[in-house]
């Protein structure tokens, strides 16, 4: 009788950007998977992306398609790594052939946060002085804040979170607008001065969630990754991504969203704004959470009827489409 020889446990290689925040997020995913699958080895491999290397140019001028993901995706297609952990807001809605979004983890607070210079610690965003210099590298934030606060001065800010905060503390800015989730993951919640309400700033598509991308034909791995997926976050983010995809927008386009799920009902609000803040269209749809992507498409059509396509066309003419 032929003896049964069991295969050795698989070693799974996780791809991550080298930034501090990316590594914190990737090591968290590694730990969750180790808890569920203690017999499998999960190794972290780091890579630098185009967005990490170019720090002296505004993100919108570089081109946004795969700015923080392309190198990791090539690593998967070349079988150098098995899956990659992304901040979901950085992951394009159209993935390269052969790759798939395998899982979406439970979302942290997706809101934008105001971080102020010490001299403004008694202020909220509504009470900052005229001409206050606000740092942001996001066209989405810029457009919404210009719409609401045209009396502020806005200045691009690049670099990792530590670098940005150092520039703020050195007096180059009066305040920064950052993702609350990033500050929380780096245990810097004490720097959050104010969580911006949705009436002021709708957040980025996928903000606060992690997206795990892998090869579409690796069914064994996809099954493992589903163990750390959060169904409610998945439904919210799939609705948001469908909305963005249908409008042909990218990470660096002024498109903002807000989603909530209550009793299996998903509420999705979205905006499209011009970079100068002069034009802004907004609407909301409500429907079954298990029909998330159709809701996103429905909202995109509503905003298109209100003029979203014309606003986006103007933006693409000015900044060009990232390649």
């Amino acid at each position: 009788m032929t003896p049964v020889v069991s295969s050795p446990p698989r070693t799974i290689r996780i791809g991550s950007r080298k930034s501090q925040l990316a590594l914190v997020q990737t090591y968290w995913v590694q730990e969750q998977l180790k808890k569920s699958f203690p017999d499998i080895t999960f190794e972290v491999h780091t890579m630098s992306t185009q967005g990490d290397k170019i720090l002296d140019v505004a993100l919108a001028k570089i081109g946004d398609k795969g700015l923080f993901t392309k190198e990791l995706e090539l690593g998967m297609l070349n079988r150098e790594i098995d899956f990659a952990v992304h901040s979901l807001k950085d992951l394009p809605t159209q993935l390269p052939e052969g790759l798939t979004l395998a899982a979406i983890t439970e979302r942290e607070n997706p809101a934008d946060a105001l971080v102020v210079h010490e001299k403004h610690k008694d202020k909220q965003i509504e009470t900052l002085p005229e001409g206050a210099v606000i740092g942001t590298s996001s066209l989405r934030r810029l457009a919404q804040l210009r719409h609401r606060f045209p009396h502020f001065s806005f200045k691009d800010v690049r670099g990792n979170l530590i670098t940005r905060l150092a520039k703020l503390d050195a007096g180059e800015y009066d305040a920064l607008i950052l993702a609350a989730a990033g500050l929380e993951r780096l245990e810097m919640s004490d720097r959050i001065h104010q969580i911006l309400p949705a009436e002021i700033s709708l957040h980025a598509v996928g903000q606060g969630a992690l997206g795990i991308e892998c090869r579409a034909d690796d069914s064994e791995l996809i099954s493992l990754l589903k163990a750390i997926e959060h169904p409610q976050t998945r439904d919210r983010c799939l609705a948001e991504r469908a909305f963005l995809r249908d409008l042909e927008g990218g990470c660096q386009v002024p498109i903002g969203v807000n989603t909530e799920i209550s009793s299996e009902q998903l509420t999705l609000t979205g905006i499209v704004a011009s970079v100068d803040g002069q034009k802004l269209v907004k609407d909301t749809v409500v429907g079954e959470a298990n029909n998330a992507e159709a809701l996103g498409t429905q909202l995109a059509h509503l905003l298109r009827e209100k003029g979203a396509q014309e606003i986006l066309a103007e933006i693409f003419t000015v900044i060009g489409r990232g390649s």
Side-chain angles (χ1 to χ4, degrees), residues 87-322:
S87 292
L88 188 58
K89 68 183 179 65
D90 294 332
L91 187 64
T93 57
Q94 299 283 4
L95 302 184
E97 185 176 353
L99 298 179
T100 187
L101 177 56
I104 300 174
T105 66
E106 185 169 7
R107 192 174 219 165
E108 299 283 349
N109 186 347
D112 288 331
L114 177 73
V115 181
V116 299
H117 188 275
E118 175 72 13
K119 65 185 177 184
H120 296 304
K121 63 182 181 180
D122 60 335
K123 305 283 197 310
Q124 298 283 285
I125 194 166
E126 298 89 342
T127 56
L128 286 171
E130 183 171 350
V133 177
I134 311 298
T136 177
S137 58
S138 161
L139 289 185
R140 172 188 58 80
R141 292 169 180 148
L142 180 63
Q144 292 184 88
L145 293 174
R146 277 179 170 163
H147 180 75
R148 184 70 179 261
F149 306 106
H151 57 282
F152 290 159
S153 175
F154 295 93
K155 182 179 174 183
D156 194 63
V157 57
R158 293 292 313 280
N160 62 39
L161 200 52
I162 305 300
T163 300
R164 296 186 201 190
L165 291 171
K167 290 178 179 180
L168 171 68
D169 294 339
E172 293 184 38
Y173 305 87
D174 291 293
L176 301 178
I177 309 297
L178 301 168
L183 290 162
E184 290 169 354
R185 287 190 178 118
L186 289 177
E187 299 183 352
M188 294 181 180
S189 299
D190 59 311
R191 294 304 303 261
I192 297 176
H193 187 70
Q194 179 187 4
I195 293 293
L196 299 187
E199 298 76 47
I200 290 177
S201 184
L202 292 184
H203 59 75
V205 167
Q207 187 159 303
L210 303 181
I212 302 179
E213 185 183 19
C214 73
R215 290 183 294 275
D217 62 0
D218 196 339
S219 56
E220 178 188 2
L221 179 56
I222 292 171
S223 178
L224 294 181
L225 294 173
K226 290 296 182 186
I228 60 171
E229 182 161 72
H230 187 253
Q232 197 173 82
T233 299
R234 176 198 62 214
D235 290 342
R236 292 171 63 189
C237 291
L238 289 180
E240 295 171 12
R241 285 173 63 80
F243 169 65
L244 180 64
R245 182 169 56 244
D246 197 271
L247 287 173
E248 299 181 356
C251 308
Q252 300 308 319
V253 172
I255 293 175
V257 293
N258 187 67
T259 47
E260 296 177 0
I261 292 181
S262 177
S263 302
E264 305 303 319
Q265 289 285 301
L266 189 152
T267 301
L268 171 64
T269 299
I271 63 106
V272 175
S274 60
V275 178
D276 62 9
Q278 295 297 306
K279 302 174 184 176
L280 185 148
V281 293
K282 182 178 181 180
D283 213 326
T284 299
V285 294
V286 181
E288 296 294 327
N290 60 13
N291 203 26
E293 292 189 275
L295 286 173
T297 300
Q298 178 187 347
L299 180 59
H301 291 174
L302 287 175
L303 291 196
R304 194 175 283 115
E305 290 173 358
K306 291 187 171 186
Q309 208 65 48
E310 289 75 13
I311 294 173
L312 291 173
E314 291 175 9
I315 294 168
F316 296 149
T317 298
V318 174
I319 68 173
R321 293 307 306 260

